Amino acid sequence: MTFRALLVEKAEDGAISASVQDLQDDRLPDGDVTVAVEYSTLNYKDGLCITGKGGLVRSFPHVPGVDFAGTVVSSGDPRYLPGDKVVLTGWRVGESWWGGYASRARVKGDWLVPLPDELTTREAMAIGTAGLTSMLAVMALEKAGLSPPKGEILVTGAAGGVGSVAVAILARLGYRVAAVTGRPEAAAYLRELGAETIIDRAELAEASAKPLESERWAGAIDSVGGEMLMRVLKQVKYDGAVASIGLAASAAVPSFTVIPFILRGVCLVGIDSVMRPRDERIDAWSRIVTDLPHDKLDDMVTEYGLADLPTLGPAILEGKIRGRAVIDVRK
């Protein structure tokens, strides 16, 4: 049998190319479960894998796609039977293992979770790694003691995939949300998701020489990193918390200071969704079903096909993708 896939190849001169091809099933990697993929999505990591940047892909040819949702075709894992709906995010699938930009995938059963009955495979990929990460961040902030009465929550990179879902979830839970974006045209979109305040990225992008700034935020979800993360930490209220989920600007914080931690008791929580244990993933997906408003989900989504990915990869790296890009791999 054959399946369609986006195949990324590396030429002898080092040039990277990506094209949709028909491949034989015997090219799939070893694994316990074979899935007929229906939908995937587009994450920043996918952009790196499609373009060959960042060193994530070490072996070519390669099929990217960090996330996918579909139907089990065959299984050597007793937890999954043919016909079961499943979802996969993380585990370095799409990076070191062939991923979801294909009509068929073969993976380890431990990497899959059952698709909640309340979600379609398309909705699951409108959520994807971005939504799972956002939900894990909200759960971490709750564990750190945050609740709506404590004050406003800041979301950086709010118009991106992770930020969009975070805004919608927080607003649904009753938080007042301030959304940071460098795209003025995204303001109406963010307000529709539930943001009360829109903040220009430039207000937080520059380093501050002050060890602390005026207390503004009860907590924050940050996908930007770099100096913006430090500015946010300096503005968080006493006993507040920040969930760090990304590094779109930088992994380095040259002006780093421990003052917010030792004078205000601020908590910085790192969020990893790639290697998160299976039971925690299932818990997070259950929370997504109840805490992410499905009517807002549609507002975030633009649908594409496999053939669009060679263009979409560079676009997401340039910050040109708003909300969630869902990939129907059957197109």
Side-chain angles (χ1 to χ4, degrees):
M1 295 180 63
T2 62
F3 64 99
R4 294 179 72 242
L6 181 80
L7 195 68
V8 178
E9 299 176 283
K10 186 175 184 179
E12 290 185 4
D13 63 0
I16 301 294
S17 63
S19 61
V20 178
Q21 299 184 29
D22 291 324
L23 305 176
Q24 295 291 327
D25 272 16
D26 60 11
R27 296 190 65 178
L28 288 167
D30 293 334
D32 306 315
V33 185
T34 302
V35 178
V37 180
E38 296 164 21
Y39 290 95
S40 185
T41 186
L42 181 71
N43 300 290
Y44 192 86
K45 279 186 178 180
D46 295 313
L48 294 173
C49 294
I50 291 168
T51 59
K53 297 179 179 179
L56 295 183
V57 179
R58 303 291 181 85
S59 177
F60 296 90
H62 181 70
V63 175
V66 172
D67 304 340
F68 67 75
T71 305
V72 173
V73 175
S74 62
S75 174
D77 186 319
R79 293 172 293 184
Y80 301 103
L81 300 174
D84 287 350
K85 297 290 186 179
V86 292
V87 60
L88 182 145
T89 61
W91 297 112
R92 299 207 68 204
V93 171
E95 300 174 53
S96 60
W97 194 277
W98 279 24
Y101 290 163
S103 58
R104 197 173 291 260
R106 186 174 293 138
V107 296
K108 296 181 180 180
D110 286 341
W111 299 344
L112 296 167
V113 297
L115 179 71
D117 292 338
E118 298 85 351
L119 297 175
T120 65
T121 51
R122 185 181 188 275
E123 288 173 329
M125 286 299 97
I127 297 163
T129 284
L132 179 68
T133 304
S134 297
M135 190 71 252
L136 290 169
V138 171
M139 293 165 70
L141 292 180
E142 292 174 339
K143 188 175 181 180
L146 266 68
S147 61
K150 292 197 171 181
E152 201 167 18
I153 303 295
L154 187 75
V155 178
T156 68
V162 181
S164 294
V165 180
V167 169
I169 290 174
L170 289 166
R172 173 67 171 267
L173 292 173
Y175 289 91
R176 291 183 294 113
V177 182
V180 181
T181 183
R183 294 179 263 179
E185 69 278 7
Y189 163 75
L190 291 168
R191 287 197 172 93
E192 183 65 26
L193 293 180
E196 289 189 9
T197 306
I198 308 299
I199 297 176
D200 192 312
R201 179 172 59 199
E203 292 185 29
L204 294 169
E206 298 298 326
S208 168
K210 297 178 180 179
L212 287 174
E213 299 184 40
S214 297
E215 296 178 76
R216 299 180 67 182
W217 322 112
I221 296 177
D222 174 65
S223 61
V224 176
E227 292 297 351
M228 186 174 293
L229 173 58
M230 195 68 251
R231 289 292 303 279
V232 171
L233 288 165
K234 292 177 181 180
Q235 296 176 7
V236 171
K237 295 179 180 180
Y238 187 87
D239 209 25
V242 176
S244 174
I245 62 176
L247 40 74
S250 176
V253 187
S255 65
F256 183 82
T257 172
V258 299
I259 297 299
F261 308 117
I262 62 176
L263 293 188
R264 287 188 182 158
V266 173
C267 175
L268 178 61
V269 185
I271 305 299
D272 167 62
S273 65
V274 176
M275 307 304 289
R276 185 71 61 163
R278 184 174 182 272
D279 58 344
E280 294 183 28
R281 292 170 185 267
I282 292 173
D283 288 345
W285 278 102
S286 295
R287 284 288 304 274
I288 286 168
V289 168
T290 59
D291 296 342
L292 176 62
H294 287 205
D295 60 326
K296 303 300 184 185
L297 196 58
D298 284 340
D299 295 337
M300 303 178 201
V301 172
T302 305
E303 188 173 305
Y304 302 92
L306 282 179
D308 297 309
L309 286 166
T311 301
L312 292 173
I316 195 169
L317 298 184
E318 295 166 9
K320 295 180 179 178
I321 302 297
R322 191 190 81 173
R324 303 290 293 135
V326 170
I327 314 300
D328 186 340
V329 303
R330 300 163 299 184
K331 292 183 178 179

